[in-house]
Amino acid sequence: MGESVPGAVGRSLGSMSAVIETRDLQKRFGRVRALDGLDLSVPAGEVHGFLGPNGAGKSTTIRVLLGLYRASGGTATVFGGNPWTDAVALHRRIAYVPGDVSLWPNLSGGEAIDLLGRLRGADPAANRDRRRHLLEVFELDPTKKGRAYSKGNRQKVAFVAALATAADLYILDEPTSGLDPLMEAVFRREIRAAVSDGATELLSSHILSEVEHLCDRVSIIRAGKTVETGTLADLRHLTGTEIAFASTGLTDADLAGWPSASRLPAIWSARTGRWPLPPTTTPCPRCCRCSRSCGCRA
Amino acid sequence: MSTLGPLLRLRRDRLQVPVWIASFGALAFFSGVAVAGNFGALAEREALVRIAVLTPTILMFRGAPQGAAVDALVFFLTFATIALMAAFMSAFLAVRHSRAEEASGRAELVGATPAGRLIPLVATMVHGVGTALAAGAAVALGLLAAGFEAAGSTLFGLAVAGTSVVFLGVGLVCAQIMRTSRGANGLASALIGVAYVLRAAGDAGGAPSADGLRITSAWPSRLSPIGWGQQTQAYTTNNPTPLLLDLAFAALLLGVALVLQAVRDLDSSLIAERPGREHARRTLRGSFGLAWRLQYPAILGWSIAGLFLGVVAGTLGETVVDLVRGNAAFEGILAGMAGGDRGSIIDVFTAALFGLIGILAAAAAMQAMIRMRQEEADGSAELLLSAPLNRVRWLLDYILLGGLALTLVLATAVVGAVLGLAQTTAAQAGDRIRSVAESGLAQVPAALLILLAGALFFAYLPRASIGIGWALLLVAVLIGQFGDLLDLPDWLQALSPFSHTPVVVGTGADWSEGWWMVGIALCLGAAAVIGVRRRDLAL
């Protein structure tokens, strides 16, 4: 967090053109309003988190951005183009990993990776090393048939296919939902490496911590509408934060020398406990002994 | 066992099974009425039966005749077809409620409840046996309604139910053997094919009686569950003992399925899966390469069937002409098989067989279209269409695949027919080959129309298109093949593309209706392209 924010500001100021831009995006399925005024703006080079509960419309938005669904209202542009009419040209620059990856049951994982690479115009010989590296770090057996993979392994097949060929925009729909924590770390490392040379990334998730680790800015959607956009620091006011405090090892004299301790009467007596921050203050994530914005005036 | 009730309710097939059962009843009823109406005179029926007894191909597709009584004739003409359909119904039902449930993961959910491992399988068996009995009852009721006697009609129904239960068992054992529902359905279908071919061979090679009105089937028929049903000789000897074979064999198969289910792990199978390739072949590129890769085993299967029918058309045409030459009554009946045109007997015979080959070609084409919808419904199309692949190109590739499928089926059939002709000492071989090739070509318009109608449904009614596609084909086949027999009104017969297939007789075929069909097909294709450009991905 603390490290990524300044960099993100610099990058997003550096390039003003938005890779993804939606204004008041609407999508209706019969009488159901899946998207109901969704605004999303992702500048070039940004890793953008797309947060929302299940059913909020994340996957629907992504499918509109990929031209798989046609918007019922509002506008959506990707690289300045219309995702519905310019789909083929745009897809040459996009790598996509669906939330629930379905592979061809009787094609092996390796065949699926090669097929998708060829569809994207990749030269298999040039990508051979990259492919081998990815298969190795994801510990994926490419000879298994599509139907024999678990959910996590199907997802890995889609990752390898997406990352084996360089893209300008990576769209990842709940990418770590089937991965164990070790693989999640591998995924984070590989995706960082992929976007390090200026690619843009849209990462949808319903898990804040996942977005926290990777994203420069976040859009939060609910019931098909954008409710908040900003850096995670900007959005801290939305979360109720508690700071755990243990006074073990401190003498009364130490504590007395800490002016803000007077604001913690309960802890003072118990010498250990939790301090719920009022929702309007922005905490300093590391400590409360600083004079900046966290309100502890140390 | 208290979980059996809820599981049985899960096994209901709200639409599929009632449609199957109703069509059995309707087929039995209408065939009964039509045969009684069309062949009222004993002399006509005797002529029909005698020509059948002399024509191995008719025996192959119908069975072993037992006299010229109206009810016996109905049993001869319809039993093998109804039993075949009932066998498919039961085998597919078995796989749908066993291996397919397991592959989808639903069996895992159910298996974790107190229902355990065996009760779900028992529920499928109860459901399947009930469905088989209902199918038999529908046939018996249809025949009773057509005015046939009770004992024979009941036995006819029981024979259908018996065949049905045997193939329920076959389907369940196949589901234990194969890892995927596609594989299990394929194996079960192949075994149904073997049973049908054994019966066909036994009946075609059977011994005719002195009066030329009966056939005593040869031994291969007695190895086939469909043959057992036929040996009941409903309405003539009314012999129920062959049904004991059905019962015993079905019990054995169900027992084997239960034992295998009890000892194996969830998601495992007797035949383990081979590992796939690490790298894709060069040919696996683009959506056509993928479509071909997914569909070629099925196209190969349809083509082998086409080759087989082609050989039959080539060899037996010559045999038939020797048998019936000079007999005006026979010639008239054979001419009737090809839609009423009179012409040289061989041409008529060839046209009738190529009509069946045309159905195979249309089915192969429709299956390619349906595969496209399956890709969309299963979700793999999402990966495909998020790559730089134009959705219109995707549709056209599948239409191309369907076109290729129907072409291959027809081409192998023509090759088979030419090989068959080479076996016989045909006079004017050059003319015969030309006529056979044109008969093959004549099947293209109807099959193309079916294919592009499938594309239209894919574009505008994607979620219903699989059911509509098969139903369309089935209705077209029933109208085209049985329209005359069932005395359907002309406008209804005109709805089936197969009714407009050019018939190659004498100097050549009238292609005007064929060209109309090609034109309509191209319009449907254009409409499908427009629809696919406009619609959302329908998961």
Side-chain angles (χ1 to χ4, degrees), chain A residues 27 29 63 66-70 84 88 91-92 94 96 98 101-104 106-108 110-111 114-116 118-120 128 131 142-145 147-148 158, chain B residues 179-180 273-282 284-287 290 293-294 375 378-380 382-391 533-537 539:
Chain A
K27 180 65 196 174
F29 295 105
R63 286 182 183 143
L66 286 165
L68 300 173
Y69 289 165
R70 180 147 71 162
W84 179 260
V88 173
H91 292 176
R92 289 189 212 289
I94 299 176
Y96 169 51
V101 178
S102 302
L103 297 174
W104 297 275
N106 46 353
L107 254 58
S108 71
E111 286 178 305
D114 287 351
L115 171 73
L116 291 169
R118 287 168 187 174
L119 278 170
R120 284 172 58 199
R128 194 163 284 251
R131 181 187 191 269
T143 64
K144 270 196 177 181
K145 295 282 179 72
R147 59 174 155 266
Chain B
R179 175 73 168 68
T180 64
E273 243 190 340
R274 284 172 302 154
R277 301 175 57 83
E278 192 180 342
H279 292 275
R281 286 176 203 277
R282 279 171 194 287
L284 184 61
R285 57 175 60 246
S287 62
L290 174 65
R293 167 69 200 274
L294 296 177
E375 255 210 86
D378 294 348
S380 48
E382 189 175 5
L383 274 179
L384 210 55
L385 291 176
S386 61
L389 171 66
N390 189 321
R391 58 179 72 209
R533 281 172 63 102
R534 296 166 57 90
R535 82 162 165 86
D536 287 345
L537 186 73
L539 289 169

Side-chain angles (χ1 to χ4, degrees), chain B residues 195-330:
Chain B
Y196 193 82
V197 166
L198 280 175
R199 183 210 57 75
D203 292 344
S209 63
D211 60 358
L213 293 176
R214 287 160 201 276
I215 286 276
T216 307
S217 302
W219 59 268
S221 237
R222 295 168 200 281
L223 298 178
S224 159
I226 300 177
W228 299 337
Q230 192 167 276
Q231 296 308 315
T232 59
Q233 300 182 345
Y235 299 116
T236 42
T237 58
N238 272 343
N239 172 21
T241 40
L243 295 184
L244 294 177
L245 279 172
D246 279 329
L247 266 184
F249 192 41
L252 177 73
L253 289 168
L254 295 185
V256 168
L258 278 171
V259 168
L260 289 174
Q261 176 82 6
V263 299
R264 76 178 173 88
D265 291 342
L266 185 81
D267 267 341
S268 67
S269 54
L270 279 192
I271 296 182
E273 243 190 340
R274 284 172 302 154
R277 301 175 57 83
E278 192 180 342
H279 292 275
R281 286 176 203 277
R282 279 171 194 287
T283 48
L284 184 61
R285 57 175 60 246
S287 62
F288 184 79
L290 174 65
W292 171 254
R293 167 69 200 274
L294 296 177
Q295 199 55 25
Y296 82 88
I299 295 176
L300 199 68
W302 291 111
S303 300
I304 290 170
L307 184 73
F308 171 75
L309 278 180
V311 170
V312 171
T315 39
L316 293 182
E318 300 297 328
T319 321
V320 171
V321 81
D322 292 341
L323 288 169
V324 301
R325 181 169 290 144
N327 187 320
F330 290 178

Side-chain angles (χ1 to χ4, degrees), chain B residues 394-408:
Chain B
W394 187 49
L395 175 71
L396 292 179
D397 279 346
Y398 265 98
I399 291 175
L400 183 65
L401 181 77
L404 189 67
L406 73 89
T407 310
L408 280 176

